Amino acid sequence: MRTDIIYRYDGSFDGLLTCVFQSYLRHELPAALLTPDDGQTMLFETLFIETDHALAKRVVDGLTRKVSGEAVSFIRMAHLTCLNNRDAAILLFCRLAMATGPSVMNALADARVNTLYRAINFLEREAHHYMGFVRFSDVSGALASIIRPKNSVLPLLDPHFSDRFNAERFIIYDATHRMALMHVPDVSRIVPMDDFKLPALRPEELEIAALWQRFHATIAIEGRVNPKLQRSLLPLRHRPLMTEFSK
């Protein structure tokens, strides 16, 4: 089996599944799978794999039939993670899953499975954090927020915020991955967006922000302040975009 080759694809989930299909068809195990955001490499020959939705569906159908629908959901979640060499790890898992069958989902002692489980766990924890840490500003009657997650959390945030603010218009911009969750009543979409900046706060918003900061400072019990515990519950990297910590 050839291993001295690199696949490059468009970064989509169907594109990744097309790479999985081509790996079987061409009897290759690529050393890496790269997206347009990844840098160039001259170490091995690079082959561009064009996304084919029909081939992607064949991979989904094969995994569902030989393993389970859970396995498909598993790799879909894994594709949202910030795991290093994520796509190559997903390809290895797919090969293992097709060879092993349903029991692969319980094979946590296997690094090819455990690595993805841990990455998905981190994704879910980060998404859970952002469900409580997102802070919105009023922009011309719509709600807007900027986040900088390590993982692609917007698909996990969509049902949470779209349910709670269904009657509102809002945007949550992921500055890390240059994607935006855009919502109007009853409809939400996640779309690419190169950049998004919040306008300066209006005077009334500045007053509300100051009141919120004062409330946050007032409720603290000085003798029980525990910075270590605070950092574990609210990591420092989330704070610059939160109203109560902004200066």
Side-chain angles (χ1 to χ4, degrees):
M1 180 180 295
R2 186 181 181 187
T3 59
D4 59 339
I5 190 168
I6 292 173
Y7 287 0
R8 187 174 288 276
Y9 75 108
D10 64 4
S12 68
F13 183 65
D14 274 8
L16 172 61
L17 296 185
T18 306
C19 290
V20 172
F21 186 94
Q22 292 294 346
S23 171
Y24 276 97
L25 182 66
R26 298 169 60 87
H27 303 287
E28 295 171 343
L29 187 60
L33 287 82
L34 305 179
T35 71
D37 291 333
D38 295 316
Q40 297 292 326
T41 178
M42 301 299 292
L43 184 61
F44 296 130
E45 174 189 348
T46 299
L47 175 67
F48 180 75
I49 304 295
E50 185 173 355
T51 297
D52 187 315
H53 300 291
L55 297 184
K57 185 177 185 302
R58 289 179 63 177
V59 175
V60 168
D61 291 344
L63 282 170
T64 303
R65 184 175 62 256
K66 292 190 175 183
V67 188
S68 64
E70 181 187 0
V72 177
S73 299
F74 184 73
I75 62 172
R76 191 180 297 276
M77 290 284 282
H79 191 241
L80 299 176
T81 70
C82 62
L83 177 67
N84 190 35
N85 295 323
R86 175 200 65 199
D87 296 335
I90 293 173
L91 173 58
L92 288 176
F93 171 82
C94 288
R95 283 184 165 274
L96 177 66
M98 295 294 281
T100 305
S103 63
V104 72
M105 300 308 299
N106 297 317
L108 296 182
D110 191 305
R112 290 165 292 185
V113 181
N114 188 263
T115 296
L116 294 183
Y117 262 110
R118 287 187 285 108
I120 292 171
N121 184 259
F122 176 41
L123 162 72
E124 291 176 332
R125 290 200 316 272
E126 186 175 43
H128 181 71
H129 278 157
Y130 273 112
M131 289 176 190
F133 297 162
V134 168
R135 298 292 182 262
F136 288 103
S137 296
D138 188 327
V139 180
S140 301
L143 302 175
S145 179
I146 297 176
I147 60 175
R148 292 190 175 88
K150 293 183 178 180
N151 299 280
S152 297
V153 299
L154 290 182
L156 280 69
L157 299 184
D158 183 4
H160 175 84
F161 286 102
S162 293
D163 177 62
R164 283 155 180 77
F165 302 116
N166 185 51
E168 304 288 342
R169 294 184 300 130
F170 68 79
I171 176 172
I172 302 176
Y173 178 63
D174 178 348
T176 305
H177 304 93
R178 300 192 300 278
M179 301 291 291
L181 167 60
M182 307 185 72
H183 177 89
V184 296
D186 298 321
V187 179
S188 63
R189 294 285 186 273
I190 297 175
V191 298
M193 184 177 290
D194 287 336
D195 193 20
F196 177 77
K197 290 183 173 60
L198 292 173
L201 294 179
R202 301 192 306 274
E204 57 268 33
E205 282 196 291
L206 288 172
E207 291 180 8
I208 294 173
L211 288 172
W212 178 242
Q213 290 164 1
R214 183 181 302 174
F215 169 76
H216 178 259
T218 301
I219 62 173
I221 301 174
E222 185 175 352
R224 295 187 179 181
V225 172
N226 186 336
K228 184 176 180 180
L229 178 61
Q230 290 174 351
R231 288 193 296 272
S232 69
L233 298 175
L234 179 52
L236 294 176
R237 65 187 179 87
H238 294 294
R239 301 185 187 189
L241 296 175
M242 297 178 66
T243 305
E244 55 267 50
F245 294 99
S246 61
K247 301 298 183 181

